[in-house]
Amino acid sequence: DPPCPLVWMALGSHGRRELAPSSDADSALAWDGADGGPEEEYMRTLAGRVVAQLAATGFTADDHGATAAQPACHRSVRAWHHLLRHMIENPDEDKALVLVSLVADGRPVYTFGDARDFREELRAAHSHRGLLRLMLRIAEAIAVRMGALALATGESLGQVASQTLQNIHVID
């Protein structure tokens, strides 16, 4: 048995339940224990073994390192909290937005013991305007490239029949 509670997270398309035959296996591991020492060594070894077994069965690891076998994606719950808080507060830092979006899409696929959900930090993201502005800038660039008429941000839309996307686009 593991030395402390843990949670294995599916990230990316697997976390969103949008698997395709070409999907890679993005993953993260968090444990509710100390950083360093035998607990961390156990988790590092466990992550490597699980990712290797997944690869042996055809679920290849992410080429960009978004896998629990890589140090960036296996850490204690406390370390995950610290990292996510830092990334939310500094969204323009290297790969911050990518990691936040990967974790936001994640879902637990295995837990041992009473492992805490390390994604709690993301609930505070709505109050960090810098992160939201950066996400909106990226979404706008993608929308323009796709020829989209609008971005749905979760705000109230479609309250009257005349508020179709085409009419809103013309008014804008």
Side-chain angles (χ1 to χ4, degrees):
D1 280 354
C4 57
L6 66 88
V7 61
W8 186 277
M9 301 286 294
L11 306 176
S13 59
H14 188 189
R16 292 187 307 273
R17 293 189 166 120
E18 298 173 352
L19 283 173
S22 62
S23 294
D24 53 15
D26 301 338
S27 59
L29 175 63
W31 62 91
D32 217 350
D35 294 318
E39 289 175 343
E40 186 169 347
E41 179 60 26
Y42 178 93
M43 297 302 169
R44 185 186 63 74
T45 302
L46 174 67
R49 287 179 37 221
V50 170
V51 169
Q53 288 298 312
L54 287 170
T57 59
F59 294 97
T60 58
D62 177 67
D63 291 336
H64 304 290
T67 175
Q70 298 298 318
C73 291
H74 70 260
R75 52 187 77 225
S76 70
V77 170
R78 187 180 69 75
W80 274 111
H81 278 270
H82 177 75
L83 176 68
L84 290 172
R85 189 176 318 115
H86 179 78
M87 298 273 185
I88 289 168
E89 291 169 358
N90 303 285
D92 3 355
E93 282 191 11
D94 187 41
K95 299 185 183 180
L97 195 56
V98 172
L99 184 60
V100 167
S101 65
L102 273 172
V103 172
D105 285 343
R107 67 183 170 90
V109 291
Y110 177 80
T111 59
F112 175 82
D114 191 22
R116 293 179 292 155
D117 188 349
F118 65 90
R119 298 171 302 159
E120 294 167 1
E121 281 306 319
L122 297 177
R123 290 183 185 89
H126 71 277
S127 64
H128 293 278
R129 295 293 182 212
L131 174 67
L132 299 177
R133 273 194 293 277
L134 182 59
M135 292 172 73
L136 191 55
R137 272 198 315 258
I138 292 168
E140 182 181 21
I142 293 169
V144 167
R145 192 173 21 184
M146 293 176 61
L149 296 176
L151 287 174
T153 62
E155 296 178 14
S156 182
L157 290 175
Q159 293 192 5
V160 295
S162 64
Q163 286 186 328
T164 65
L165 287 178
Q166 288 79 8
N167 289 345
I168 292 170
H169 182 71
V170 169
I171 293 169
D172 189 36

